[in-house]
Amino acid sequence: MLSIYLFRVKFIRGDNLALENEELKPSELFKKAIEERPAIELSTNSVWMIGNVTYLDKECKTGTFNVGKKSIESIPKYNEDSKNFESILEESCPNAKIFFNIEYEILGISNNSSLANDEYSIADKIQKLLEKTNTVTNSFKYIEISKIKNPESFISRLRRAYCIKRFAVHFSGPNPFDADEVFHKPMSAYLNATAGKKGYTVVDGESLNSETCAQMAISIAATGNDASAKIQESSDDKLSTISLSKNGAKVSIKNDIRNDDIKIMELIMNKYFKVK
């Protein structure tokens, strides 16, 4: 069974960009950057590239592309004439299909062991590729790709806790369209206005409101950021620290739909809206 992990793409203001110069929406930047099909050399023997850009709807909001690396590798082969095993240098191009939703700035990434160690490594390469596009560099932006968290178990523990003593959240710009209106959006806007990259806020108390913390965790999880809490499970327990970061949002793809990109895209977005 194939697992596809959800990631969030964020286009963040660079230090040189004045607020009045922000012309293109993040979704427009996302689309233009992918369509450039960038390629970069990341080592003396490895070139990474994006290709096979395909849209799944008429509005060109969802689609797939392939990310891969081209390198020269020593391939073991058997020579029938000499009856010997030999090593032959050949070009290798392992690649993986990536799903995307431009409107919600979502990537669906599955791990390919022949391409990278894990989905985080593939996300890192995609980030480096998109950052090198003319679209991104000319807009004075930088990109952050972070894994969307599944907040279910984290929220469940918050709500079951005897008391919450501390609640901490990380946030980043730009102002997220799907974030909490009371805290998350204003803090991201403040971060954006000060040309900051990351923010961190901690609230301490004898017994913090569990439902408020839970709602904030949902907002933070959907934007790919992190949250943690110090809780007391029961009146007799010691304080323990729980974190959102350990739970990545993912969808499991059964073999009978592995070639149905539209169905897979639907499952990815259903998972995102469930997290959100």
Side-chain angles (χ1 to χ4, degrees):
M1 186 176 291
L2 177 69
S3 293
I4 297 180
Y5 294 87
L6 277 64
F7 284 76
R8 189 69 177 272
V9 182
K10 304 170 191 174
F11 293 83
I12 301 173
R13 297 176 66 249
D15 296 338
N16 298 323
L17 181 63
L19 287 172
E20 62 269 17
N21 291 334
E22 294 190 281
E23 297 177 358
L24 293 177
K25 297 178 181 178
S27 58
E28 295 171 320
L29 289 173
F30 194 179
K31 184 174 185 291
K32 290 185 66 176
I34 290 173
E35 289 178 346
E36 283 191 39
R37 293 169 171 81
I40 55 174
E41 186 175 343
L42 293 179
S43 70
T44 55
N45 188 39
S46 177
V47 177
W48 283 75
M49 66 282 288
I50 284 175
N52 301 59
V53 179
T54 303
Y55 291 102
L56 300 177
D57 61 286
K58 293 180 180 179
E59 294 78 20
C60 297
K61 292 182 179 180
T62 63
T64 65
F65 64 83
N66 282 44
V67 62
K69 64 177 178 179
K70 181 172 66 176
S71 59
I72 304 298
E73 296 184 1
S74 178
I75 308 297
K77 291 195 173 184
Y78 181 72
N79 189 317
E80 291 287 352
D81 295 329
S82 66
K83 305 300 180 182
N84 290 323
F85 293 95
E86 301 173 350
S87 292
I88 307 297
L89 292 178
E90 289 187 357
E91 184 177 274
S92 173
C93 294
N95 60 91
K97 180 179 287 187
I98 308 298
F99 292 81
F100 65 84
N101 183 301
I102 287 171
E103 183 179 11
Y104 290 94
E105 301 155 34
I106 303 297
L107 288 177
I109 300 176
S110 59
N111 185 27
N112 181 339
S113 59
S114 64
L115 183 61
N117 292 331
D118 52 40
E119 65 276 7
Y120 289 101
S121 298
I122 296 176
D124 177 67
K125 300 304 186 300
I126 296 173
Q127 178 175 316
K128 287 180 169 63
L129 282 161
L130 296 180
E131 283 180 336
K132 293 298 183 181
T133 60
N134 293 327
T135 298
V136 174
T137 56
N138 291 343
S139 65
F140 299 102
K141 299 270 187 175
Y142 70 92
I143 293 177
E144 181 180 290
I145 297 180
S146 52
K147 187 177 252 187
I148 293 175
K149 315 302 189 301
N150 184 349
E152 291 179 2
S153 62
F154 181 76
I155 289 172
S156 177
R157 292 188 70 182
L158 286 177
R159 287 174 170 158
R160 291 199 316 265
Y162 172 72
C163 65
I164 303 170
K165 297 289 188 178
R166 168 173 288 195
F167 188 73
V169 296
H170 296 259
F171 54 90
S172 57
N175 197 5
F177 61 86
D178 54 354
D180 164 75
E181 296 283 349
V182 177
F183 171 81
H184 195 177
K185 278 193 175 183
M187 291 307 296
S188 291
Y190 168 70
L191 187 72
N192 208 30
T194 57
K197 293 183 179 180
K198 294 181 182 295
Y200 178 70
T201 298
V202 179
V203 178
D204 289 303
E206 287 303 311
S207 183
L208 302 179
N209 185 288
S210 61
E211 194 55 38
T212 299
C213 292
Q215 291 303 314
M216 179 56 61
I218 293 171
S219 176
I220 291 295
T223 55
N225 291 301
D226 195 16
S228 63
K230 283 189 176 182
I231 65 172
Q232 197 173 352
E233 302 273 10
S234 70
S235 58
D236 298 326
D237 288 334
K238 294 181 179 180
L239 287 177
S240 60
T241 300
I242 60 175
S243 174
L244 188 60
S245 62
K246 296 179 180 179
N247 303 291
K250 69 176 182 179
V251 293
S252 298
I253 308 302
K254 295 180 180 179
N255 290 334
D256 59 345
I257 63 165
R258 286 187 69 152
N259 296 320
D260 190 340
D261 291 345
I262 293 177
K263 180 62 178 179
I264 293 173
M265 192 75 245
E266 289 177 359
L267 293 175
I268 289 171
M269 294 313 298
N270 286 341
K271 171 59 72 172
Y272 167 71
F273 287 121
K274 186 177 180 180
V275 169
K276 177 177 176 294

